[in-house]
Amino acid sequence: MASVSNTGGGAGSGSGSDCDGDEQEDPSSSKQTVSETKLLLERVNLDDGKNNIEDELEVFRQQWQRELESSPYKGGQASVKSEQIRKEPLTDEEQAKKLFLLGVEFERNGKLYEAIQHYKRAIQILPDVESRLYEETDGRPDPPEAESEMEEVSRVENNEDTDDEDVIEGEDLLSRLQRIMAKKGYLVEMAHPAKGGHISWLPYEVIQLVLRWVVGAELDGASLERVAAVCRGLYVAAREPDIWRCLCVKTWGIECGTPRVHGYPTWRQMYIERARLNLNGVYISKTTYVRHGENNFQDQFYRPWYLVDYYRYLRFFPEGLVLMWTTADEPASCVGHLKHRDTKNSLGILSGHYRLVGDTVAIVIKKACEKRVSQASTRYRSRRKEVVEQQEQIFHLDLELGSVRSRRNSKLVWRRYLATTGRDHWTSFDLLPNKFPPFTFSRVRAFTADTAAPLMGTT
């Protein structure tokens, strides 16, 4: 039993060993193949991942490159050009000048970032590179493009028209523009399309009525000149002789004469150059003097001095009315009270009349004064009554018109100043320059901001 078992065991062991050896080799090989397969799969996955990452990076690079090319700030071109300038065998001055000019080119193309970079590099190399470039280019002729632009500007400024080919020598501007307007057949042309109405739709007679409202009853000739500066058509319309004739008649009266009598070529020239009063503002005179104060009762050696300033204002109206106001208030707070003809008596504004004779303005102003007189007919002082008598004080002023530099009729100089409290007694004032300085005209825009009536015609 034992031998059999041993033999069987040995035989079984031998056969079992063979079988066991074969069975042990198969799992190991399978494990090895599995591990090898896993490694291969991992390598394949890594290779695929690397390929995917490289593909993504390549796509990102291409997208970034397209964005750089489409953006206004192309750093690549700027860096390439600057590197080329650096590699060239140039002196510091030449290199700085080239970098600065390259910055100018970038700035003209709208690439401000690159332009600032090149400016900084050029200034770091040569701080005064801009002044040196200016000295080199100063006095050189302009490029053809600049010359054509300048010719276009000068053509527009000189009112040159391509349609007006027949230029007559010695012809004045008004006659030339009238000829151009007659050739075109219209006075005003619409430059841009508009949804609402336009002044070019109005007939010439209506435009003339509008211009008479611009001048107004206040005779605002300066506003008429501003309208004439708008375009050629309104320039021609604003030079209508009838408007300027009405202005002259309203200014100097029906007996003003004609321009030829006074030596002027047109009514407009007569209105501008002949002596007249400016009605769109106020004539102002400032007087300054020193007044002695009283001694101090504690210190007899101390005596104050006071510097006193006060103003005289004159406002003229077309119908011959004048307003005079003497006050210590500044002009900014006073001119508003002189806008209307009806003034407040509480402010002390006096009204009168004026007349222009040549270059002399004669002004007469009347002021009502109250004088209290006591009646002493009774024996008892308590029963005495005071009677208020109304007296009239008259002021007579003669002023001479003058000009200050290019401002015509902007100065009034004192020539005579009289005052009276009765009919026969007149007091003449000594017209010292420090006590009666001349009046200077100051325009007030509020006086001509609106108008109540147009400039009326004369027969």
Side-chain angles (χ1 to χ4, degrees):
M1 290 293 292
S3 61
V4 171
S5 62
N6 290 333
T7 304
S13 64
S15 61
S17 65
D18 293 337
C19 293
D20 292 341
D22 294 338
E23 290 177 359
Q24 290 175 359
E25 288 177 1
D26 291 336
S28 63
S29 62
S30 64
K31 289 179 180 179
Q32 183 177 3
T33 56
V34 170
S35 62
E36 290 177 356
T37 303
K38 289 182 178 179
L39 289 173
L40 289 173
L41 289 173
E42 289 178 357
R43 289 176 183 176
V44 170
N45 292 331
L46 288 174
D47 293 339
D48 293 340
K50 288 181 180 179
N51 293 332
N52 292 333
I53 292 172
E54 289 179 358
D55 293 340
E56 292 179 359
L57 288 174
E58 185 64 26
V59 172
F60 175 75
R61 291 191 189 98
Q62 293 177 0
Q63 184 178 1
W64 182 42
Q65 188 68 24
R66 286 195 298 269
E67 290 179 357
L68 287 176
E69 291 177 356
S70 61
S71 64
Y73 305 106
K74 298 179 182 179
Q77 296 181 2
S79 60
V80 169
K81 290 184 179 181
S82 58
E83 289 296 331
Q84 291 177 357
I85 293 174
R86 287 182 179 179
K87 291 179 181 180
E88 292 180 1
L90 302 173
T91 61
D92 292 343
E93 182 177 355
E94 294 176 352
Q95 187 176 358
K97 289 179 180 178
K98 284 197 172 184
L99 287 172
F100 192 88
L101 293 175
L102 186 59
V104 173
E105 182 180 353
F106 279 119
E107 185 178 359
R108 288 178 178 174
N109 296 331
K111 305 172 184 178
L112 302 180
Y113 181 75
E114 286 79 4
I116 293 173
Q117 287 183 341
H118 286 78
Y119 288 151
K120 286 183 178 179
R121 292 176 186 173
I123 293 173
Q124 288 175 358
I125 298 173
L126 189 64
D128 59 341
V129 58
E130 186 175 2
S131 61
R132 295 193 182 186
L133 282 172
Y134 179 78
E135 291 175 358
E136 290 181 1
T137 57
D138 191 16
R140 294 184 181 180
D142 295 333
E145 296 180 357
E147 290 181 359
S148 62
E149 291 178 0
M150 293 300 295
E151 290 177 359
E152 180 69 19
V153 172
S154 62
R155 184 185 67 80
V156 173
E157 290 180 352
N158 296 329
N159 293 324
E160 294 182 1
D161 200 302
T162 55
D163 298 334
D164 185 27
E165 298 179 355
D166 301 330
V167 179
I168 301 176
E169 186 178 356
E171 185 181 19
D172 59 342
L173 180 60
L174 179 60
S175 302
R176 181 182 178 186
L177 293 180
Q178 287 176 344
R179 181 164 50 82
I180 295 174
M181 295 296 104
K183 184 178 179 181
K184 289 187 174 183
Y186 53 83
L187 186 68
V188 181
E189 182 182 6
M190 187 184 300
H192 305 284
K195 296 181 179 179
H198 193 262
I199 194 173
S200 60
W201 301 354
L202 302 177
Y204 185 76
E205 293 77 9
V206 179
I207 292 179
Q208 286 295 312
L209 181 59
V210 172
L211 294 179
R212 286 182 177 272
W213 273 97
V214 170
V215 178
E218 303 297 333
L219 308 184
D220 187 14
S223 296
L224 183 63
E225 289 294 292
R226 294 186 185 92
V227 173
V230 175
C231 64
R232 294 180 298 184
L234 292 179
Y235 180 91
V236 174
R239 294 299 189 274
E240 183 66 31
D242 189 57
I243 296 179
W244 294 99
R245 184 178 68 86
C246 293
L247 273 171
C248 293
V249 173
K250 294 290 184 180
T251 301
W252 293 288
I254 195 66
E255 299 179 356
C256 64
T258 60
R260 296 183 180 275
V261 172
H262 297 279
Y264 300 106
T266 60
W267 288 99
R268 176 177 174 272
Q269 201 73 16
M270 175 178 170
Y271 180 80
I272 293 174
E273 297 184 2
R274 189 174 173 183
R276 59 179 174 82
L277 290 167
N278 294 322
L279 307 177
N280 58 343
V282 181
Y283 287 88
I284 304 173
S285 174
K286 182 180 179 180
T287 304
T288 303
Y289 67 93
V290 177
R291 183 173 65 84
H292 303 289
E294 296 181 358
N295 292 334
N296 194 345
F297 69 93
Q298 294 180 353
D299 187 2
Q300 297 296 328
F301 296 98
Y302 174 76
R303 188 176 184 180
W305 297 71
Y306 299 98
L307 186 64
V308 181
D309 296 335
Y310 69 92
Y311 299 85
R312 292 188 180 97
Y313 301 96
L314 287 175
R315 168 75 199 280
F316 298 94
F317 292 92
E319 66 273 13
L321 179 67
V322 60
L323 300 179
M324 187 176 74
W325 191 13
T326 303
T327 178
D329 297 336
E330 296 287 336
S333 60
C334 291
V335 293
H337 298 288
L338 299 172
K339 181 178 181 180
H340 304 287
R341 294 164 175 80
D342 299 331
T343 59
K344 298 180 181 179
N345 295 328
S346 59
L347 297 176
I349 302 176
L350 305 178
S351 61
H353 294 84
Y354 74 92
R355 186 176 181 183
L356 180 62
V357 181
D359 58 351
T360 303
V361 184
I363 302 174
V364 178
I365 296 175
K366 296 181 180 181
K367 179 182 178 182
C369 301
E370 294 182 356
K371 184 177 181 182
R372 297 180 180 274
V373 180
S374 60
Q375 293 181 352
S377 60
T378 60
R379 292 181 298 175
Y380 302 100
R381 184 175 299 177
S382 60
R383 295 182 180 178
R384 294 178 181 177
K385 297 180 180 180
E386 292 184 352
V387 179
V388 178
E389 295 182 358
Q390 294 288 338
Q391 291 187 352
E392 194 176 56
Q393 190 175 8
I394 302 174
F395 300 96
H396 184 84
L397 293 77
D398 285 344
L399 304 172
E400 184 180 355
L401 272 168
S403 301
V404 179
R405 298 178 182 176
S406 60
R407 301 175 59 190
R408 295 178 181 273
N409 308 314
S410 60
K411 186 178 181 180
L412 287 175
V413 183
W414 294 85
R415 287 293 174 257
R416 189 173 60 168
Y417 186 23
L418 303 175
T420 180
T421 54
R423 295 183 178 179
D424 300 330
H425 182 68
W426 288 88
T427 302
S428 178
F429 294 91
D430 191 7
L431 302 178
L432 299 176
N434 56 346
K435 292 184 179 181
F436 295 93
F439 291 85
T440 304
F441 178 76
S442 178
R443 181 190 169 215
V444 183
R445 295 183 179 179
F447 289 176
T448 55
D450 51 4
T451 180
L455 175 66
M456 301 303 294
T458 58
T459 57

